[in-house]
Amino acid sequence: IHPDDIGHIHETIAESARSLQPWQDSFRYNHPTKGEIWIEGHSMPLREMDGCILWHGYIQDVTDRKHAEKALRDRETELRLIMDATPALISYLDADFRYLRVNATYVKWFGITADHILGHKAREIIGESAWNIVLPYLERALAGETVNFDQAIPYEKGKPRWVHASYIPNKDSNGKIKGIVVHIVDIEERKQTE
């Protein structure tokens, strides 16, 4: 077992022996021919008549899964960095217009944390007046059309602001709309200049 993981494994096995609850954990293992691999173990403790603990279980090589999970985490980190680096408001809505993702600019614009946005419907966050303006555009995107428009929108907080909005439908492999990518650029200064 990898030296950095052995202490944790001993702790979890000791806890399983104490509580007689199933043991499950994953850890790195220095294999003599494969090098470092990931092992996952599942075992059920059983107290014997003499007081000893006997575990029945199995271990399996989960290296490919662990590498895939790390690659996925790395991609998520890259995506978050790209989204947060843009001055545009970016969000992703599901087919019920519920927020699944927002970038840092979106959070700053509305002055609330992502935790207070994610899982909520757009109508709750942007306010009723703004919702009445954007709903027809969102419905067109939900029908599969990429929609672009310029509009002064009275968001929940503050006076109406001019924005350029793009709503891009996201389709699954069968062509069913899974959600909508929302990309909004503040064009208030440009409109004031015009």
Side-chain angles (χ1 to χ4, degrees), residues 162-174:
W162 276 95
V163 297
H164 173 77
S166 299
Y167 296 164
I168 304 135
N170 179 28
K171 301 175 184 176
D172 66 15
S173 59
N174 297 321

Side-chain angles (χ1 to χ4, degrees), residues 68-103:
E69 289 170 353
K70 183 183 181 315
L72 184 61
R73 282 191 307 274
D74 290 348
R75 294 296 300 259
E76 175 65 26
T77 300
E78 291 169 5
L79 177 61
R80 172 61 46 205
L81 178 63
I82 292 166
M83 284 182 60
D84 287 347
T86 182
L89 285 78
I90 300 173
S91 63
Y92 183 79
L93 305 174
D94 68 13
D96 293 322
F97 307 128
R98 192 176 305 277
Y99 288 99
L100 299 181
R101 183 183 290 273
V102 294
N103 72 340

